[in-house]
Amino acid sequence: MNRQSGYSFYSGNGRWNGRLTNRPLPWNDAAIDRLSNSQRDELARIWLGRAASERRVADAFEVIRDALTELGGLQELIALAARAVDDEYRHAELSRRVASRYAGQELDPPARLNLTVPEHPGAPPRLRHTLHILGHCAMNETFASAFLEVSLRYASARLARAALRALFSDEIDHARLGWAHLAGLTASERDQLAPWLPALVQANLKMWRDSPRSYSDERLLNAHGAPPGNIVEQALLNAIRQLIIPGLEHFGLPTAALHHWLAAGAPTGDSITNLTSIRNKN
C-alpha cells in the first residue's frame, strides 16, 4: 500500500523509518473472515473512528511542541513532541488500514476532527502552556495507555492485538514527555500549578467517560480491540490511583483533593469542562 494514500503523512525519517510498525502485521487474520458482515462493519466503524481521533491528536502534539518551544524547554523534549506528531499520523494510518481490513475494502480517511485547545481562563501564558503539556501528555496519554493496555488484555484476534501493541508502545513514551516536563519545573512553578491539578485530572477522566462504548456483541468485539466499558472505567480509575497521583506526589505536589474525590466515586460534571485536555483518543 502506497504511503501517500490515506492518513499516511508520517515521515520516512520517523520512529520506524517510514514503516507503520517495527514488525509485520498479520493482515491475513482468519478471525476477521469468520465475522458476519454486520460485525465487520461495526468494527470497521470503531477503528475508523480511532483513525480520526489519532489524526486529531497529531494536531494536539503540534500544540505541545509549540508550547515547549515557547517555554524554552529542553531540545530533547521538543524533539520528542515533534516525533509524537509523526507517531500520531502513523497511528491514524494504521487504524485506517485496520478498519479497511475489517470492511473488506479500502476506506477513505474519515473527516478531520476539529481540535479544541482549552483556554484555562485565569492562567498566565507560561502556566497555560504547562497545563496543556500536563493535561495532554501526563494525563490524557496516561489514560490512553491504560485504555490500550486493557484493550490488549481482552483482544485475541491477531491483527487487533498487533495493532494495539504498536499503538501502546508509543503512548507510554508520549505520557513520559509530560512527566519529564513536570520534573523540570521550579518549586515556584509547581506551587502555581498545584491548584489547577484536581480539575485537570477530573476533566480528562470526563472526556474518556463520555466516549461511547456500547457494542452489539460485546464479547466478540472485545476480541477485536473494543474492550468492555466497565473494564475501561476500572482501568482509568486505576491509572489515577497507581500512576497519576503517585507521579504528582513524587514531585511534591498536593493530592489530598484527588484522594477525597476518588473516595467519593470520582464524580465528573459540566462544571469542570473548562479545564480539559486537548482531546482524548479512544
Side-chain angles (χ1 to χ4, degrees), residues 213-223 226-230:
R213 295 189 186 89
S214 178
Y215 310 125
S216 61
D217 187 340
E218 186 170 275
R219 185 172 181 180
L220 186 145
L221 269 63
N222 295 164
N230 63 317

Side-chain angles (χ1 to χ4, degrees), residues 28-270:
N28 62 345
D29 187 354
I32 298 175
D33 300 321
R34 291 193 292 268
L35 297 171
S36 69
N37 288 340
S38 62
Q39 290 165 341
R40 291 180 66 164
D41 287 347
E42 186 171 5
L43 284 159
R45 287 193 298 271
I46 290 170
W47 280 94
L48 200 62
R50 289 178 183 170
S53 293
E54 298 284 358
R55 174 61 183 82
R56 177 168 51 191
V57 176
D59 292 339
F61 268 111
E62 291 187 3
V63 175
I64 301 307
R65 178 201 60 204
D66 294 346
L68 286 163
T69 302
E70 287 289 327
L71 290 171
L74 295 173
Q75 286 301 312
E76 293 90 336
L77 296 187
I78 297 171
L80 282 174
R83 188 176 74 176
V85 175
D86 190 69
D87 287 340
E88 300 299 346
Y89 283 137
R90 237 183 346 96
H91 294 179
E93 176 66 356
L94 173 58
S95 299
R96 185 195 68 82
R97 293 196 198 182
V98 172
S100 295
R101 176 65 177 89
Y102 280 106
Q105 60 180 326
E106 189 74 9
L107 297 177
D108 290 332
R112 186 170 176 176
L113 300 176
N114 291 328
L115 175 69
T116 301
V117 180
E119 297 179 0
H120 299 302
R126 289 186 64 83
L127 175 58
R128 189 178 302 117
H129 287 320
T130 286
L131 290 169
H132 289 159
I133 295 164
L134 294 185
H136 183 65
C137 298
M139 295 175 190
N140 185 50
E141 294 290 305
T142 295
F143 283 140
S145 297
F147 172 77
L148 289 167
E149 183 178 26
V150 77
S151 298
L152 263 173
R153 188 187 312 158
Y154 280 81
S156 57
R158 291 170 58 237
L159 179 58
R161 282 191 61 82
L164 290 166
R165 190 181 298 112
L167 298 174
F168 185 33
S169 65
D170 290 348
E171 304 303 7
I172 294 174
D173 193 30
H174 297 171
R176 287 172 178 158
L177 197 160
W179 296 109
H181 174 67
L182 180 55
L185 296 181
T186 65
S188 62
E189 287 172 330
R190 292 178 192 171
D191 288 342
Q192 190 180 31
L193 170 65
W196 297 79
L197 291 173
L200 199 64
V201 175
Q202 292 165 27
N204 275 272
L205 177 62
K206 182 179 187 301
M207 285 194 310
W208 282 85
R209 281 176 167 172
D210 287 349
S211 297
R213 295 189 186 89
S214 178
Y215 310 125
S216 61
D217 187 340
E218 186 170 275
R219 185 172 181 180
L220 186 145
L221 269 63
N222 295 164
H224 292 267
N230 63 317
I231 300 299
V232 172
E233 170 73 5
Q234 293 173 20
L236 297 175
L237 294 179
N238 284 339
I240 297 171
R241 291 190 187 97
Q242 299 172 9
L243 299 172
I244 292 176
I245 286 180
L248 296 174
E249 291 174 343
H250 176 76
F251 295 107
L253 289 160
T255 59
L258 286 171
H259 282 291
H260 290 310
W261 169 67
L262 281 175
T268 52
D270 293 338

Side-chain angles (χ1 to χ4, degrees), residues 263-280:
T268 52
D270 293 338
S271 62
I272 58 169
T273 55
N274 65 321
L275 271 174
T276 180
S277 170
I278 290 175
R279 191 58 187 165
N280 75 327

